[in-house]
Amino acid sequence: MASIIDGKAISLAIKEELKKKVRELKEKGVRINLAVIQVGDNPASAVYVRNKKKGCEYIGIGSLSYELDKETTQEELLDLIRELNAREDVNGILVQLPLPSHIDEDTVIRAIDPKKDVDGFHPQSVGALCIGQPGFVSCTPAGVIQLLKRSGIQIEGKECVVLGRSNIVGKPMSILLLRENATVTIAHSRTRNLKEVTGRADILIAAVGRPKMITRDYVKAGAVVIDVGINRDENNKLCGDVDFDDVAPICSAITPVPGGVGPMTVAMLLYNCVASVTIGQSGAIS
Ligand code: GUN
């Protein structure tokens, strides 16, 4: 039976480290503020935003909340971002995605000052990650690396398969694993012989958004399985991309949903907020 990677416990350890750093910064007169913008009333987004604000409070950083009506125009949102870019007391700006369909996400992400891009979504942040320069790293993939490292799982030299190629998870995930000297394959909906490909993985990262898609016939015995998915099953119960009950007995370590990768996203967002003042823009955490 696999060991269960406890994302709640690991994220709490990171938050405690950050809390200490924030206290030290406060003694030096440095205060950190994160601006959180939500447009519309997507219920899942509201939960994520609430958790992010609670995380800020927990480690002692300020959060400014902007809950905008779903009819907000793109120009109004861009005006707010420009105002926050200019404010010296705002260190990080987070625009919760998805945005209503009349707003172009790329335009909004590009409007955020890269020095305040704590989500790591700006093309400058992504480019910096690709060429190994300092910059903010997308929170969920950064959280997966921390889960692996803090669970004592070696990444260097391992065959890693990332299932999914989104800008937020799959692509940055593969670059981060490469940075850790893994051999990386990105698999996706058009990959042929998918089970053969995922079955080669020492570390399999599932980020496809399909409830319980990964059954044991996709997984090599003894592999480490990281489940990034947050879905609802047929009974409206929260579940991942991995069929946990089927896969857990044959792998060496696995993340549950909930309580695996999810809490790490918030922890790494908080890490980026603190990093924005302590170490310039370095998104790296060892
Ligand atoms: N929507 C889903 N995940 C994320 C995230 O990490 N950041 C933001 N801003 N929106 C999201």
Side-chain angles (χ1 to χ4, degrees):
M1 184 70 181
S3 66
I4 311 291
I5 300 174
D6 187 346
K8 248 181 158 168
I10 294 173
S11 71
L12 186 61
I14 292 174
K15 284 192 281 189
E16 293 304 332
E17 291 163 20
L18 293 171
K19 201 177 195 173
K20 187 164 164 268
K21 266 194 194 151
V22 170
R23 222 172 18 235
E24 289 164 5
L25 285 166
K26 266 190 192 151
E27 280 161 15
K28 292 183 196 152
V30 180
R31 294 195 178 264
I32 305 171
N33 285 307
L34 170 67
V36 181
I37 305 172
Q38 188 189 348
V39 186
D41 47 14
N42 179 318
S45 290
V47 174
Y48 295 141
V49 163
R50 199 175 327 124
N51 286 339
K52 289 170 186 180
K53 288 192 287 201
K54 263 167 61 184
C56 288
E57 199 180 331
Y58 186 82
I59 68 159
I61 70 178
S63 65
L64 290 83
S65 197
Y66 296 89
E67 283 159 29
L68 307 182
D69 190 88
K70 64 176 185 302
E71 311 293 344
T72 301
T73 66
Q74 178 165 307
E75 208 42 51
E76 285 167 337
L77 177 56
L78 293 175
D79 280 344
L80 173 60
I81 291 170
R82 288 182 202 117
E83 181 193 317
L84 295 169
N85 281 343
R87 270 179 66 166
E88 284 190 7
D89 61 334
V90 171
N91 309 86
I93 302 170
L94 181 149
V95 180
Q96 187 64 29
L97 305 178
L99 289 167
S101 56
H102 65 279
I103 299 178
D104 181 54
E105 286 184 355
D106 280 344
T107 305
V108 170
I109 289 167
R110 278 173 198 273
I112 297 170
D113 181 341
K115 289 197 284 301
K116 301 188 179 188
D117 175 37
V118 285
D119 253 330
F121 293 168
H122 193 284
Q124 188 173 311
S125 307
V126 179
L129 173 65
C130 287
I131 59 170
Q133 298 283 314
F136 291 110
V137 177
S138 178
C139 306
T140 301
V144 170
I145 296 291
Q146 285 302 304
L147 278 182
L148 293 169
K149 285 189 171 177
R150 290 176 186 242
S151 303
I153 294 162
Q154 194 196 331
I155 305 171
E156 182 164 328
K158 295 285 177 67
E159 287 269 354
C160 294
V161 176
V162 179
L163 185 51
R165 53 177 160 177
S166 70
N167 289 339
I168 293 181
V169 182
K171 284 180 199 153
M173 187 75 254
S174 61
I175 303 290
L176 283 177
L177 290 165
L178 192 60
R179 199 163 85 175
E180 299 295 331
N181 300 313
T183 301
V184 185
T185 303
I186 306 176
H188 46 79
S189 53
R190 309 282 172 86
T191 297
R192 273 182 269 160
N193 306 322
L194 184 59
K195 288 180 184 171
E196 207 178 289
V197 174
T198 57
R200 286 202 296 267
D202 300 312
I203 301 174
L204 175 62
I205 317 253
V208 271
R210 288 183 58 189
K212 298 186 187 176
M213 174 190 159
I214 303 301
T215 48
R216 65 171 64 186
D217 43 338
Y218 287 84
V219 181
K220 179 170 77 176
V224 172
V225 179
I226 305 291
D227 190 351
V228 182
I230 303 179
N231 316 296
R232 297 269 169 191
D233 70 8
E234 61 282 5
N235 302 315
N236 206 32
K237 207 175 142 229
L238 217 55
C239 72
D241 293 346
V242 176
D243 186 338
F244 184 92
D245 294 337
D246 191 50
V247 171
I250 66 138
C251 58
S252 61
I254 187 166
T255 59
V257 176
V261 175
M264 295 301 291
T265 302
V266 178
M268 298 317 290
L269 169 70
L270 300 172
Y271 173 84
N272 279 349
C273 291
V274 175
S276 72
V277 295
T278 54
I279 46 172
Q281 278 191 50
S282 173
I285 181 172
S286 55

